[in-house]
Amino acid sequence: SLLDQVKIVYVIDNTPGSSSIMPAFLGRFGQFVSYVPLLENRGIGEAQNIGIDLSIKGGYSHVLLLDQDSVPSCGMVDRLLAAEEKLLSKGEKIGGLVPQVIDRRTGKRPCGCRYRWFIARKVFRDITATEPVQTDSFIASGSLIRTSILQVLGSMRSDLFIEYVDTEWALRAHTAGYDSYCVPNALMMHNFGDAAEKLFGKDIYLYDSVRYYYRLRNAVYLVRLHTMDWQSRAYIVSRIPYYFVLYSALSKNRLAAIRLLLRAIRDGMLGRLGPVRQSSTLTPTDGQLKHHPSEIIVNRN
């Protein structure tokens, strides 16, 4: 899906241990793909930053972040670039540009999200619409960011490890005066969560339980940052009790889940970041930390 859209692809592999399959598979694409195995799980932010650094050193103008389970539609990158050119001609300061992401499981496709105090108002647009829609946050996969902006604003927070890494960057950019936009007619298929369930008519995405630790911990930590405006901070605060109740209710071992989530709140308040370490709080019934899928960094001239 990227062959005719970008100049080069960096595959940053977070899987612990070496792989004999990936080099052989990616080797058939020649110099179009550069494979970077990390041999350990360093977190999504660190994987993205490695690819971003390679892109900057390579002299590329843009970085497109992709998870391995995302599939860009034909012409997605060109549509993102066309929207960027249009916005820049109007004098807009742009952080990231993102496609309209379609969830494979549910078919839902919110184009943007605006924080209004305790509510996140999702914005929907027809896939034929071309006018960019301002969004306060976005998922990293599919986001197109100029390397010059990354050098000004900084890269991803690798100490968050996973969860809210993309949101933190988008809100940091917004506070610095760089707004992000969704382009409705630039489409990408993506998998949200390990599975999805209906709860009171709402789609709930399910993850490994340790992912819930990261989501709650990082939410608590983010409200401390000066880069969060008050409306974003209020919304994230409202998510903290929601996450605690929901994730403990979804767990098969609720007592272990409650202990894990209480630890997440404590660590977020104290600023204890990075990868979570194994302890008595994490029992086998909680589920062990899985490696994150490969991060794919692709570049446009």
Side-chain angles (χ1 to χ4, degrees):
S1 64
L2 293 170
L3 283 172
D4 298 322
Q5 300 200 55
V6 299
K7 183 72 174 180
I8 189 171
V9 177
Y10 294 111
V11 178
I12 316 300
D13 190 350
N14 249 337
T15 308
S18 60
S19 170
S20 59
I21 299 174
M22 288 297 288
F25 171 72
L26 296 174
R28 58 181 174 173
F29 295 101
Q31 295 183 345
F32 180 69
V33 176
S34 178
Y35 178 56
V36 184
L38 302 184
L39 306 181
E40 61 179 339
N41 184 8
R42 300 189 193 176
I44 189 69
E46 179 67 15
Q48 290 170 345
N49 288 342
I50 290 171
I52 288 169
D53 289 343
L54 288 170
S55 305
I56 292 172
K57 291 176 182 177
Y60 296 104
S61 62
H62 292 75
V63 168
L64 179 71
L65 303 177
L66 282 177
D67 290 345
Q68 104 292 345
D69 56 357
S70 299
V71 182
S73 65
C74 181
M76 184 194 84
V77 176
D78 282 338
R79 292 187 178 99
L80 292 175
L81 289 169
E84 178 187 68
E85 183 178 356
K86 182 178 180 180
L87 290 166
L88 289 174
S89 69
K90 295 179 180 179
E92 301 289 345
K93 297 175 68 175
I94 304 170
L97 286 155
V98 295
Q100 185 163 193
V101 181
I102 303 174
D103 181 12
R104 280 197 183 94
R105 294 188 181 93
T106 66
K108 290 190 174 181
R109 47 177 180 77
C111 190
C113 179
R114 303 302 306 276
Y115 295 135
R116 292 295 179 263
W117 296 105
F118 299 105
I119 299 173
R121 184 172 64 86
K122 293 184 179 180
V123 181
F124 294 86
R125 290 289 186 273
D126 185 86
I127 60 174
T128 61
T130 59
E131 192 66 26
V133 177
Q134 188 174 343
T135 181
D136 291 331
S137 66
F138 52 79
I139 65 167
S141 189
S143 58
L144 183 75
I145 307 173
R146 285 172 291 163
T147 50
S148 59
I149 298 301
L150 287 161
Q151 289 175 289
V152 170
L153 298 177
S155 297
M156 306 299 159
R157 286 283 302 263
S158 60
D159 54 356
L160 295 177
F161 198 75
I162 193 171
E163 297 295 342
Y164 276 111
V165 177
D166 37 23
T167 299
E168 186 280 328
W169 191 91
L171 293 175
R172 189 197 325 158
H174 176 71
T175 300
Y178 294 84
D179 291 321
S180 298
Y181 294 84
C182 174
V183 183
N185 67 340
L187 304 178
M188 185 183 77
M189 302 295 293
H190 181 72
N191 284 334
F192 288 92
D194 297 326
E197 288 187 3
K198 286 282 187 182
L199 186 63
F200 302 115
K202 183 178 180 180
D203 291 306
I204 303 295
Y205 296 107
L206 304 179
Y207 296 90
D208 181 272
S209 61
V210 183
R211 286 283 294 273
Y212 299 149
Y213 164 88
Y214 285 114
R215 180 165 294 186
L216 184 56
R217 182 198 71 180
N218 293 346
V220 172
Y221 177 74
L222 286 189
V223 301
R224 303 172 44 190
L225 301 181
H226 70 277
T227 51
M228 301 294 107
D229 62 69
W230 284 106
Q231 294 198 53
S232 302
R233 186 178 284 123
Y235 174 73
I236 293 174
V237 165
S238 73
R239 297 285 88 187
I240 294 171
Y242 170 79
Y243 289 154
F244 188 91
V245 173
L246 178 65
Y247 298 156
S248 59
L250 290 174
S251 176
K252 294 180 180 179
N253 187 333
R254 292 184 182 177
L255 182 59
I258 289 172
R259 289 200 304 266
L260 179 64
L261 296 173
L262 287 173
R263 177 183 172 186
I265 293 173
R266 180 196 65 190
D267 289 350
M269 293 177 66
L270 296 176
R272 295 176 180 172
L273 304 178
V276 62
R277 300 186 183 279
Q278 290 282 35
S279 74
S280 59
T281 309
L282 294 175
T283 67
T285 54
D286 288 326
Q288 303 303 318
L289 179 62
K290 298 178 180 178
H291 72 271
H292 192 275
S294 303
E295 181 63 24
I296 305 176
I297 312 292
V298 298
N299 297 289
R300 182 81 177 202
N301 283 340

